[in-house]
């Protein structure tokens, strides 16, 4: 069975209970990942954990080397990634401390160029109409329901650039677009994971109402960190339960995402690109 990757967001820098820990520092064709990868066993399953902001929270959302992070996960045999993330709510009924499992993303970053492995001599267009692995999302949903925590199954995650939070006008604009939650990091991971044929699902925990809510205090790091602590404890419980339930084989289409996506003639793909991307494209291009 392929390993299960966990990418931890703000507040989640380690997971207790991972046994036989091995730390792996990787250098990748795309540069350095956010930190060392922690490999070990959680229950009976092999997991690979990476804190996306690095231990000590050193890496700003705009500076995260997502290509290195996802390439590293692929290299380490990860087939599924559960991304844990803090987010703001753009809807009244999505309350702080609720969980959201977004199934759509809207990109408002200026990082699009860095959201693909396919550049510099190779072109691929993956299908991305449904950016989240529905099977993995469903597995997470069932666990949260069972634990009797508040969860919203589905929703749209607006990926802003950051690192500053939104202005009120931006927050209202996104609300007028019917967006559900707002964050700074998950869109790139979802795209790159799909390109790497890794299942990806986001477990988003709401820390605040962004800044649109008239009666709530304006979003500040202080409020967010307080809610974050509560969310992280719940997220760890959810993760352990979900991971124990994940079946060995993947029945979804994520594993074949590249099958018809690469449009470049293999003969003209530069050898360096073939080498750099071998772990991703090797089964299609030699
Ligand atoms: Zn999948």
């Amino acid at each position: 069975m392929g390993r299960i990757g966990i990418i931890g967001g703000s507040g989640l820098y380690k997971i207790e209970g991972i046994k036989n820990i091995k730390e792996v520092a990787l250098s990748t064709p795309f540069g350095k990942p956010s930190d060392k990868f922690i490999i070990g066993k959680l229950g009976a399953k092999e997991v690979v954990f990476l804190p996306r902001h690095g231990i000590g929270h050193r890496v700003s959302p705009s500076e995260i080397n997502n290509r290195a992070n996802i390439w590293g996960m692929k290299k380490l045999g990860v087939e599924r990634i559960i991304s844990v993330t803090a987010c703001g709510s753009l809807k009244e009924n999505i309350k702080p401390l609720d969980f959201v499992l977004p199934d759509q993303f809207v990109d408002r970053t200026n990082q699009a160029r860095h959201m693909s492995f396919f550049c510099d001599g190779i072109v691929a267009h993956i299908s991305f109409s449904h950016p989240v692995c529905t099977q993995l999302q469903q597995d997470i949903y069932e666990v949260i329901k069972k634990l009797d925590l508040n969860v919203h199954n589905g929703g749209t995650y607006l990926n802003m650039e950051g690192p500053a939070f939104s202005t009120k006008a931006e927050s209202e604009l996104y609300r007028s677009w019917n967006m559900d939650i707002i964050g700074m990091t998950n869109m790139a991971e979802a795209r790159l994971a799909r390109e790497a044929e890794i299942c990806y699902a986001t477990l988003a925990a709401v820390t605040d109402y962004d800044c649109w809510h008239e009666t709530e205090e304006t979003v500040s790091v202080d409020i967010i960190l307080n809610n974050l602590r509560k969310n992280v404890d719940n997220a760890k419980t959810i993760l352990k339960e979900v991971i124990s339930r994940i079946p060995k084989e993947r029945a979804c289409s994520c594993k074949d995402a590249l099958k018809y996506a690469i449009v470049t003639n293999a003969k003209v793909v530069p050898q360096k690109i073939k080498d750099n991307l071998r772990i991703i494209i090797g089964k299609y291009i030699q």
Side-chain angles (χ1 to χ4, degrees), residues 139-191:
D139 289 342
I140 300 170
Y141 174 69
E142 280 164 20
V143 165
I144 304 178
K145 273 313 258 189
K146 205 187 109 196
L147 292 169
D148 214 18
L149 296 163
N150 284 341
V151 57
H152 306 265
N153 198 15
T156 303
Y157 174 121
L158 184 125
N159 200 137
M160 65 177 296
E161 177 64 47
F165 294 120
S166 324
T167 65
K168 198 162 181 200
E170 286 168 330
S171 200
E172 291 293 358
L173 177 67
Y174 305 147
R175 276 169 52 72
S176 77
W177 292 351
N178 202 28
M179 303 289 102
D180 294 289
I181 54 173
I182 183 164
M184 298 178 188
T185 54
N186 275 220
M187 175 100 193
E189 290 173 0
R191 270 200 203 160

Side-chain angles (χ1 to χ4, degrees), residues 133 199 250 252-254:
C133 175
C199 297
R250 293 194 287 173
C252 52
S253 57
C254 309

Side-chain angles (χ1 to χ4, degrees), residues 1-2 79-80 135 139 199 246-252 255:
M1 175 175 179
E79 286 185 350
R80 299 171 171 97
Q135 188 58 57
D139 289 342
C199 297
I246 287 177
K248 192 167 178 249
E249 301 292 336
R250 293 194 287 173
C252 52
K255 63 182 185 300

Side-chain angles (χ1 to χ4, degrees), residues 201-248:
T202 291
L203 170 60
V206 180
T207 48
D208 57 271
Y209 274 119
D210 204 36
C211 62
W212 61 271
H213 205 289
E214 293 291 344
T215 57
E216 289 279 330
E217 287 174 83
T218 304
V219 53
S220 73
V221 169
D222 193 43
I223 298 170
I224 289 178
L225 289 182
N226 212 3
N227 285 338
L228 200 58
R229 276 185 275 276
K230 297 174 194 163
N231 285 338
V232 163
D233 288 343
N234 286 331
K236 286 177 181 171
T237 308
I238 294 165
L239 279 172
K240 281 172 195 165
E241 186 69 22
V242 172
I243 285 168
S244 74
R245 286 171 166 229
I246 287 177
K248 192 167 178 249

Side-chain angles (χ1 to χ4, degrees), residues 65-99:
N65 190 343
N66 289 293
R67 288 190 289 192
N69 290 351
I70 302 297
W71 191 96
M73 286 283 182
K74 184 79 179 175
K75 176 81 179 167
L76 295 170
V78 166
E79 286 185 350
R80 299 171 171 97
I81 291 174
I82 302 172
S83 158
V84 183
T85 196
C87 70
S89 166
L90 296 168
K91 293 219 171 121
E92 185 81 49
N93 69 319
I94 302 175
K95 298 183 179 66
L97 303 180
D98 285 0
F99 283 95

Side-chain angles (χ1 to χ4, degrees), residues 106-125:
V106 167
D107 181 23
R108 287 278 296 165
T109 72
N110 52 33
Q111 307 283 322
R113 279 178 58 246
H114 304 288
M115 288 190 197
S116 178
F117 291 113
F118 295 93
C119 54
D120 300 328
I122 185 167
V123 180
H125 303 287

